[in-house]
Amino acid sequence: MFIDKEQVKRQCRIELNDSSEDVLLDSYIAAVEQKTIAHLNRNLYKASVDAACDI
């Protein structure tokens, strides 16, 4: 996941120890990631890539 559930809870002002909405938040996070990938028409990767460029 690119978006942490803890970040979402803070943004929505949900108590961090409240797990009653976790399943719903997980599905929202997954949907946002899928829509973002579709909109960008690119795959997203969690790890950053250090590429050397000879100029």
Side-chain angles (χ1 to χ4, degrees), residues 2-13 16:
F2 295 100
I3 302 173
D4 191 299
K5 191 180 338 180
E6 185 176 304
Q7 293 173 319
V8 174
K9 284 185 173 187
R10 286 189 174 139
Q11 179 68 29
C12 296
R13 296 190 174 126
L16 294 178

Side-chain angles (χ1 to χ4, degrees), residues 2 7 12 14 16-18 21-23 31 34 36 39 52 54:
F2 295 100
Q7 293 173 319
C12 296
I14 298 172
L16 294 178
N17 58 358
D18 181 6
E21 301 291 335
D22 283 359
V23 174
Q34 290 173 1
T36 301
H39 177 74
D54 295 331

